[in-house]
Amino acid sequence: MVLQSLKNCLWLSCILRTPKACFWSTASGGLIIQSVSNDVYQNLAVEDWIHDHMDLEKQQVLFLWRNSPAVVIGRHQNPWQECNLRLLRQKNIKLARRRSGGGTVYHDLGNINLTFFTTRKKYERMENLKLVVKALKALRPQLDVHVTDRYDILLDRQYKISGTAAKLGRTSAYHHCTLLCNVDKFVLSSVLKSPYKGLKSNATPSVPASVKNLFEEDPSLTSEMLLDAIAKEYAMQHQIDHHITVINPADETLLPGISNKTKELQTWEWVYGKTPKFSVSTCLNMAYKDSVLDVKVNMDVKHGRIEVCNIDLPEQWLPPGLYSELVKSLTGSKFCPNETTTLVTTLLRVCPQDDELHSRWSLLCENMIMLM
């Protein structure tokens, strides 16, 4: 592992001494790039950079990358509908929204990501997936792997080991896919299970599937072996040298403007604010003293912000003025536990000093925050 890291550093120092124009034009026909970063936002930014800046008429590109734990949702998806955001926060797992469509995936270092860049005219994801299958077969001929009509790769005719998504620009395109080598399946299944009830949305839903790691089929397989086999097959099909160019996605001298792309992908406005409009209609069952209180909540959320908010409280549960202030404060605010916590804490400071009232207020606010 230390030797591999040292080798990557030596490759990287070589690349950074090469003029940028020369670097991107060294390979005619094809280029294989691997990221030294495991940061999901940096690696997604590299995809954007290559799509926006490289001349894909001259050379096609295969980008290889892996991420530390992260959940990545499609461009038109709803994170509240797709994953357990509370669990992500507890486990410090990042949430990212990519620019391509498709469904939600869980990444960790046991998951390989492959991005195939071409011109729009040459875009062909079925051929890319066949290339991956051919590489797997070359590595382990006994593997029963094939591509489906849905552009998934199945193991043993039933377990999904690769999902796919794409972005088609005016002249450029990319197709990216995952490959499960030794991902933490317990975490995967836990975080990709939404606990939120009463959501109504036209956002693109993910299609659940049974998954399996290639490592489970053959424990001798490693992510590094798979990456190398795919790079070798790509080089063979594009008649280029089997050489992987290692890049640092944080380097502005190599990728001018990459920092801004990375920052944009981390913003609340992109990750949550791009969520298609949705509504929440649910009933909070609040246990208070010796009874259970049913509180109906209806909200419309647009661009990640609460557009309409109605909370059906029993009469006299809260002073009318305090209830009105709560609804007024929530309307227009982010559908976000941090912002809601700040709002309700501020309102609590102006509450009458009444222990009973404070208990009721805290209970209601805790349950409201649980919706987010």
Side-chain angles (χ1 to χ4, degrees):
M1 182 66 77
V2 174
L3 182 62
Q4 183 66 32
S5 298
L6 179 60
K7 194 159 50 163
N8 284 353
C9 289
L10 290 171
W11 285 344
L12 183 56
S13 66
C14 243
I15 291 162
L16 296 183
R17 287 197 297 269
T18 307
K20 291 190 290 292
C22 189
F23 166 64
W24 293 114
S25 60
T26 50
S28 58
L31 183 64
I32 305 171
I33 300 170
Q34 184 170 351
S35 172
V36 297
S37 172
N38 294 323
D39 181 85
V40 64
Y41 304 113
Q42 289 184 338
N43 288 326
L44 288 173
V46 171
E47 287 191 324
D48 292 346
W49 196 96
I50 294 172
H51 179 270
D52 295 345
H53 291 88
M54 287 196 66
D55 186 352
L56 298 170
E57 284 282 1
K58 289 184 179 178
Q59 57 185 20
Q60 298 180 35
V61 179
L62 171 62
F63 176 44
L64 310 170
W65 45 296
R66 291 193 293 163
N67 291 325
S68 298
V71 168
V72 185
I73 62 175
R75 172 67 179 83
H76 307 291
Q77 290 198 294
N78 182 324
W80 291 275
Q81 185 175 297
E82 295 297 329
C83 55
N84 188 331
L85 295 175
R86 289 198 294 272
L87 190 57
L88 293 191
R89 291 189 285 266
Q90 289 168 14
K91 290 184 172 290
N92 200 28
I93 295 173
K94 294 174 180 176
L95 175 68
R97 182 186 297 274
R98 60 180 185 268
R99 305 229 181 243
S100 62
T104 300
V105 288
Y106 171 72
H107 291 182
D108 65 19
L109 294 177
N111 177 76
I112 295 169
N113 300 290
L114 315 164
T115 312
F116 298 85
F117 293 88
T118 62
T119 60
R120 181 162 180 148
K121 288 180 182 177
K122 292 182 179 178
Y123 165 80
E124 182 47 78
R125 53 183 169 175
M126 182 59 80
E127 291 307 311
N128 297 335
L129 295 172
K130 286 179 179 177
L131 181 153
V132 175
V133 166
K134 192 171 181 182
L136 292 175
K137 288 279 196 179
L139 195 61
R140 294 291 186 271
Q142 76 278 11
L143 286 175
D144 178 10
V145 286
H146 77 284
V147 185
T148 71
D149 293 339
R150 289 181 53 83
Y151 303 105
D152 296 327
I153 298 178
L154 294 188
L155 176 65
D156 298 333
R157 303 282 160 174
Q158 57 180 319
Y159 300 108
K160 186 174 175 178
I161 59 169
S162 178
T164 204
K167 178 182 177 181
L168 301 178
R170 190 174 57 84
T171 58
S172 303
Y174 64 76
H175 158 228
H176 47 196
C177 61
T178 56
L179 191 60
L180 299 182
C181 178
N182 193 19
V183 75
D184 189 324
K185 284 167 54 179
F186 176 76
V187 176
L188 181 153
S189 62
S190 300
V191 297
L192 298 187
K193 195 177 293 179
S194 171
Y196 307 104
K197 307 298 181 185
L199 283 181
K200 291 183 180 177
S201 172
N202 289 325
T204 305
S206 295
V207 179
S210 297
V211 298
K212 190 174 185 178
N213 282 310
L214 286 163
F215 181 83
E216 295 175 69
E217 196 77 4
D218 186 339
S220 68
L221 287 172
T222 66
S223 296
E224 289 75 16
M225 290 168 65
L226 295 172
L227 284 169
D228 191 62
I230 292 163
K232 184 177 180 181
E233 184 61 35
Y234 185 88
M236 193 182 304
Q237 292 196 18
H238 289 79
Q239 298 181 325
I240 59 173
D241 290 337
H242 176 208
H243 173 72
I244 298 174
T245 301
V246 181
I247 65 165
N248 180 358
D251 188 67
E252 280 281 334
T253 62
L254 194 66
L255 307 161
I258 192 73
S259 297
N260 287 336
K261 289 182 180 293
T262 303
K263 286 175 185 173
E264 182 189 352
L265 290 168
Q266 295 178 69
T267 62
W268 187 93
E269 286 72 23
W270 172 255
V271 178
Y272 296 98
K274 290 295 181 182
T275 302
K277 185 175 180 178
F278 66 100
S279 64
V280 179
S281 182
T282 189
C283 184
L284 305 176
N285 304 121
M286 304 194 314
Y288 184 71
K289 294 187 175 178
D290 296 326
S291 61
V292 175
L293 195 70
D294 292 332
V295 176
K296 292 180 181 177
V297 176
N298 292 283
M299 287 185 281
D300 291 337
V301 182
K302 185 177 181 181
H303 302 312
R305 292 182 177 272
I306 300 170
E307 192 176 45
V308 176
C309 178
N310 291 302
I311 305 170
D312 188 8
L313 284 169
E315 203 172 340
Q316 306 303 320
W317 173 258
L318 286 178
L322 189 57
Y323 165 77
S324 299
E325 279 300 313
L326 175 61
V327 171
K328 183 180 174 182
S329 297
L330 287 173
T331 305
S333 70
K334 293 176 181 176
F335 189 69
C336 160
N338 292 342
E339 181 150 324
T340 302
T341 299
T342 302
L343 286 174
V344 299
T345 302
T346 302
L347 286 175
L348 187 59
R349 291 198 192 106
V350 299
C351 273
Q353 295 301 309
D354 180 312
D355 289 344
E356 175 82 5
L357 179 59
H358 277 224
S359 295
R360 292 181 176 187
W361 175 261
S362 298
L363 180 63
L364 174 61
C365 293
E366 283 169 15
N367 277 268
M368 290 293 295
I369 289 166
M370 290 288 283
L371 294 175
M372 304 172 185

